[in-house]
């Protein structure tokens, strides 16, 4: 094949020196096309002198490429599962909402080479969505924030995750995914993932994103429960101090009353 001389010629030299060569999946590139070959090269001898080369070559491009594709898919799936395991571990271990969200969003950024990943939280009293965290940190104008908030609110109203495919005609160069975050059947926020320019999200990635959003719901719920426990502990400590202070004041007043009753009698004796 033209362009493969750098690989083939050294093999021929070895065969002409009397060596028989058998190699599998030899990668050859010619004219920008990559092919793979199983080859056997054997010297042809006459009167103890190599006079030619027997060449047996089998094109194995298709099975090799299928194997490579499978290996890539397995590696990608393994990375996705590892991210989900890490997020689950964070959900069960970390009680700091900001710390847990930052670790999770950073993992998603690395996994899909996302340009940005963020979380919006739903105010349970006002029902309004507010941006909570964006990774990596960057400044987004108020108009862009308003558009994202409106899209997230529409997604929550619909009750189903939204995938936005790139459309160059509309100026959308990046894929996007908006996923609801829920805890105990209650909506608590939205996970926003914006992918790399020119890329797209696979069905497996979208399923993974939803699993991550579900774990974020656990993280948010744990953080809120921990905050409630802290508030209850602070209130209990304040009540205890108030009781101790009340008891101390009562004891002081009681002691002062007894002293006031006894002192006149002592003075009368003296």
């Amino acid at each position: 094949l033209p362009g493969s001389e750098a690989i083939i010629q050294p093999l021929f030299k070895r065969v002409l020196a009397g060596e028989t060569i058998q190699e599998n999946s030899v990668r050859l590139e010619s004219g920008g096309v990559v092919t793979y070959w199983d080859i056997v090269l054997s010297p042809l001898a006459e009167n103890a002198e190599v006079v030619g080369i027997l060449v047996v070559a089998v094109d194995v491009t298709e099975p090799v490429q299928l194997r490579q594709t499978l290996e890539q898919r397995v590696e990608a799936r393994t990375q996705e599962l590892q991210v989900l395991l890490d997020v689950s571990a964070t959900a069960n271990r970390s009680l700091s909402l900001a710390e847990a969200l930052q670790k999770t969003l950073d993992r998603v950024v690395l996994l899909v080479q996302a340009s940005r990943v963020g979380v919006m939280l739903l105010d349970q009293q006002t029902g309004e969505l507010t941006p909570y965290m964006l990774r990596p940190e960057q400044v987004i104008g108020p108009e862009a924030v308003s558009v994202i908030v409106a899209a997230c609110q529409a997604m929550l109203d619909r009750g189903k995750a939204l995938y936005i495919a790139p459309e160059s005609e509309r100026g959308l160069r990046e894929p996007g995914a908006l996923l609801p975050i829920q805890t105990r059947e209650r909506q608590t926020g939205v996970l926003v993932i914006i992918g790399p320019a020119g890329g797209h999200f696979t069905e497996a990635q979208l399923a993974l994103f939803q699993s991550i959003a579900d774990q974020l719901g656990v993280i948010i719920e744990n953080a809120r429960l921990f905050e409630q426990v802290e508030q209850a502990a602070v209130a209990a400590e304040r009540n205890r101090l108030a009781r101790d202070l009340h008891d101390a004041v009562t004891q002081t007043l009681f002691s002062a009353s007894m002293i006031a009753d006894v002192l006149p009698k002592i003075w009368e004796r003296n």
Side-chain angles (χ1 to χ4, degrees), residues 71-139:
E71 291 174 350
Q72 291 170 356
R73 289 179 178 176
V74 169
E75 182 180 0
R77 187 57 178 164
T78 300
Q79 293 177 349
E80 293 171 356
L81 292 175
Q82 185 60 54
V83 168
L84 188 56
L85 287 174
D86 293 342
V87 174
S88 299
T90 301
N92 295 322
R93 181 176 62 247
S94 178
L95 296 176
S96 168
L97 179 58
E99 177 186 355
L101 288 182
Q102 180 175 330
K103 288 182 178 180
T104 300
L105 300 187
D106 286 345
R107 290 304 305 269
V108 176
V109 169
L110 292 176
L111 176 65
V112 297
Q113 299 301 306
S115 62
R116 52 198 179 277
V117 179
V119 166
M120 293 193 177
L121 296 182
L122 189 65
D123 190 309
Q124 298 302 320
Q125 296 181 346
T126 65
E128 295 182 355
L129 278 171
T130 56
Y132 181 82
M133 181 176 292
L134 180 66
R135 303 295 297 174
E137 293 183 354
Q138 51 191 278
V139 178

Side-chain angles (χ1 to χ4, degrees), residues 227-243:
E227 183 180 1
Q228 292 175 4
V229 170
E230 279 192 324
Q231 292 175 351
V234 170
E237 181 65 14
R238 288 175 178 172
N239 291 336
R240 185 188 67 80
L241 292 174
R243 286 195 303 269

